[in-house]
Amino acid sequence: RRVTVILNIIDEIPHFLCVFRDITEEKKLEQNLRKSQKRFSDVAEASGEYIWELDANGKYIFLTQPFEEMLGYTLDESLGRSPFSFMPKDEEIRVGEYFANEVAAKGTPFRGLVHRSITKEGDIIWQKVNGLPMFDNDENIVGYRGAALDITSEKKAREELEEAKLKAESASKAKTEFLANMSHEIRTPMNAIIGLGDLLEDMLHEDKQKDLIHKINSSSKMLLGVINDILDYSKIEAGKLELEHETFFLEELLEQLKVMFEQKASQKDLELYFHLREKVPSMLYGDQFRLTQVLTNLISNSIKFTDKGNISLKIELSEIIDYQKVRLNFSIKDTGIGVSQQQIDKLFKPFTQADSSTTRKYGGTGLGLVIVKNILNAMGSDIKVQSTEGVGTMFSFTIEFDMVACELEQQKEKNFLKKILIVDDQEISREVLKDMLFNFECLFDEASNGVEALERVIQADIENEPYDLLLLDWNMPLLNGVQTIQKLQELHKKGEVKAKIPTVFMISAYTKKDIDLDSVDIDCFISKPITPLNLLDAIADAKGGEKRKHKQKESAPDLSEFYILVVEDNEVNQEVVSMMLDRVGIGYEMANNGKEGVAKFLENEKDSKKKYDLILMDLQMPLMSGYEATQKIRQHGAKIPIIALSAAAMDEDKERAFAAGVDDHLGKPIDKNELYKVISRFSSKIIQSEHTQNIDTKVDKSPTLDTSYLNETFSSQELINSLLLKFKKQLTNGEFKDIVDVLKEQNAESKSKLHALKGVSGNMGASRLYDISSTLENKLKNKDNISQEEVELFKQIIEELLLKLSSYTSSGIIKKQKEYKKLTKEQLDVKLKEVEALLEKGFSIEEDTLGILVESLDGYVSDADIAKFKDFLDEFELEEALEMMQGWKHGS
């Protein structure tokens, strides 16, 4: 019946279409899509993010579970709401404007949008949101989707870090200000102590008094060194430690260390040795002050932690890098308490010593080794420590220096010393003395005590080969030095020693007054540590040789033409400065504070016939500071030189002073010689002459070409020849060929070229040209007119110098270049490859090789290219020289 009914219905329908479709694949795709969405949702949830979707009106249509955990609202409570409804009002406005203007209007994705939201419990959380718009087929936005992450903890951590950073910066600033204030407070009385002591030393004539005041000055400067250590540590922390470079003698550095430490070592009955090994160059170019600071810290430490035995400083050649650079190894070894490996790890931490007990027993700030390490790091080195508890410690480091070609003057006659006996119970002491005597080309024997020494003297007498010199330690077992000499004198009286008693040098770590030398005759007493200069002078004095030339103490210059204003509030400092100025004849007027200083200056400018040449300005004063006083003087358009005199030694203080308008800065304690130099440099009456005759008189006192200076400064005659030939070329065909015409213009180029010529002429010993270049340069700086007579004198001096250089060609001072045989093409190709290989490795080219190359390139390469190639080599621009050579090969 049912079938019949269906058929009847079908008959009633005019058309009936039945379609069957297989949807298996669609079902699979749908299942895969759900699985993919589930995986994505799981990953998002695992990362703490929630996934969201908005409709075109910006209402939530989809959210994942982490949303509930983050904001506390259920998904049912949240769907249909706008994300902005969960934000504080100000955040709703800010984010809403961004969303409308950047995302909705432009249809662009967004990343890293950070905003605040309010949880259901009223707490504020921070979210970071990434999202993008969704588009239909007509590119209309139909919604947005993305993900959000709770970053509240990160935000708090960042804020705490920023707060900690601000606190650290505030603490650092407070510490810096404290250091600056402490430095100022300490330096103010130190200025008086050192300044007056320095002046008093010049006034005293009795040796004992001069010795005492010299020691007071040395100790004062050591105290100043402690202050500088603290400031240095502050600079190190701020990354502002700077190095300076100058020429210095190693032997003179050792002399300074000897003065500083010989008495301290003697008080503890310690032997102090300075061992400057053979082949170590005597003259170096580097930061002498920082090197001295490092050695002072290390030696001071060794003496502090050593109760018996010895301390030795050894300086030896580590490597000759090239003919201009050398690497030296320094080691300071003691026989002190030593430290364990665990304690070594603490040595370079600030305000820390090996262990807490040493602070009480030995004292100290715990900054010394930290400063040492940082200074050495800045010099391209590091410090090594080797130590054994109860045995001793050795600190060592290696530094690279530029060499300066100048050796110490040795004895002109060495044959007065044929045989020397070294007597000392310490093996290291004997080794040091043997090494110092190496250059005397004499025989030397050694003995470890007085008894052994007498045996050797008797044996030498029997063999008719007596000793010329006896270097005798005082403190020895069996027989000390005095007893040994007494026995030797007895043997000579008895005729058991027939030869003349040798010259006797008594050597001791004790001072001369601590040893009873009245009972014996000695020729010289030398205190330890012995330096090469001590020994050299003593031998020369005793045996009639030529002593080395000591630097003469600079006599006070005549600066009586000056009239200056001193602005200083401290009465003692006023006295110190006034005595320094009186010493060189400078006239001055004193102002007690900045306000008075400004008033005196303005009054002087208006009415006085005798104008101030310069102002010395203290910076920290009552009523008006030096900074403000300088600014007020500058506001009146005054160009007078103002030199800051300040105990404020921090870099920030100097920068502030220069910003206020000072021309230079001198730190307290004031070095009188530096003060005179600065005054001379800035005051027009000394550095410029109003009449050509004054220039002429000054210049005539200087040599046209100081060959003595050249021989002392440069290592070889060949180098002198090369440099002078190059200088001559610069004056005739190079950068200075038109210097006279340029000078007539009196413009910026004139000043620049004069400055360059001054530097070159000074380095090359052309003293007259250097003097007049300096004078004329300063006239240009001060915008003073240079007369025609001065230009003519300048021209005349250059012509005289060129004649001098030309005349030396035949006399041998500037030798003509060697003649070299020209290579064949094949030989030249081989030579070019050799030179190219050397340049690639960074090696310079020997003179003969270069000569052969230059001769052989004639005809293949232009003269201009050859000259430029030689200039590159002279300036050690090896890469440029190599590039030029490779260009020749490609062009051949």
Side-chain angles (χ1 to χ4, degrees), residues 445-556:
D445 293 326
E446 54 184 301
S448 59
N449 56 63
V451 174
E452 188 179 340
L454 292 174
E455 291 172 355
R456 286 191 174 276
V457 170
I458 293 169
Q459 185 62 35
D461 186 67
I462 293 170
E463 295 171 356
N464 200 27
E465 292 182 355
Y467 293 104
D468 296 295
L469 177 65
L470 201 59
L471 295 176
L472 188 64
D473 186 35
W474 174 73
N475 188 23
M476 296 183 296
L478 301 182
L479 292 176
N480 66 29
V482 172
Q483 293 166 338
T484 302
I485 296 171
Q486 290 171 338
K487 289 284 184 183
L488 181 57
Q489 290 170 340
E490 289 175 13
L491 291 172
H492 189 264
K493 285 180 182 178
K494 292 177 182 177
E496 294 182 33
V497 174
K498 299 180 177 59
K500 181 182 176 183
I501 292 178
T503 299
V504 178
F505 288 2
M506 183 70 77
I507 300 170
S508 179
Y510 292 90
T511 61
K512 193 174 182 180
K513 67 179 183 180
D514 294 326
I515 304 171
D516 180 17
L517 296 175
D518 295 335
S519 58
V520 292
D521 292 325
I522 62 170
D523 297 278
C524 182
F525 177 84
I526 305 177
S527 61
K528 292 181 181 179
I530 304 170
T531 68
L533 297 184
N534 291 148
L535 188 59
L536 190 65
D537 276 353
I539 292 172
D541 189 53
K543 304 300 287 185
E546 182 181 328
K547 295 179 74 170
R548 65 185 166 95
K549 293 177 183 177
H550 292 269
K551 286 184 179 177
Q552 295 297 319
K553 194 160 191 175
E554 294 180 14
S555 57

Side-chain angles (χ1 to χ4, degrees), residues 182 188 228 244 336 370 397 428 644 683 809 816 826 836 874:
M182 286 301 295
T188 298
N228 290 334
E244 296 180 357
V370 181
F397 56 90
I428 186 173
S683 295
T809 304
K816 292 182 179 178
E826 292 75 17
E836 187 177 349
D874 287 343

Side-chain angles (χ1 to χ4, degrees), residues 241-248 253 284-293 375 379 399-401:
L241 183 69
E242 294 179 357
L243 299 177
E244 296 180 357
H245 291 82
E246 61 182 355
T247 300
F248 67 96
L253 186 152
L284 300 171
Y285 183 75
D287 196 325
Q288 178 186 9
F289 173 74
R290 295 298 180 190
L291 177 59
T292 305
Q293 194 176 3
I375 290 173
M379 297 174 83
I399 301 182
E400 186 178 303
F401 292 98

Side-chain angles (χ1 to χ4, degrees), residues 851-867:
I852 294 169
L853 195 61
V854 168
E855 182 69 27
S856 304
L857 283 169
D858 188 26
Y860 297 104
V861 179
S862 69
D863 291 343
D865 275 1
I866 291 175

Side-chain angles (χ1 to χ4, degrees), residues 1 33 95 101 148 169 188 190 231 243 307 361 365 380 428 439 458 491 534 566 576 657 681 688 757 765 786 804 835:
R1 179 182 290 181
L33 181 61
V95 179
N101 297 332
E169 288 174 351
T188 298
M190 287 295 293
L231 292 178
L243 299 177
D307 293 324
K361 182 176 180 182
T365 62
I428 186 173
N439 289 325
I458 293 169
L491 291 172
N534 291 148
V566 181
V576 172
R681 189 166 75 248
Q688 74 177 62
L757 181 60
I786 296 174
K804 197 85 168 174
V835 172

Side-chain angles (χ1 to χ4, degrees), residues 277-316:
R277 297 297 303 272
E278 70 273 8
K279 298 183 181 179
V280 173
S282 61
M283 199 172 183
L284 300 171
Y285 183 75
D287 196 325
Q288 178 186 9
F289 173 74
R290 295 298 180 190
L291 177 59
T292 305
Q293 194 176 3
V294 167
L295 294 175
T296 300
N297 258 308
L298 295 176
I299 295 171
S300 178
N301 256 13
S302 288
I303 292 175
K304 184 195 297 185
F305 296 108
T306 303
D307 293 324
K308 60 180 180 179
N310 58 72
I311 295 108
S312 63
L313 163 63
K314 183 188 290 186
I315 307 173
E316 53 194 335

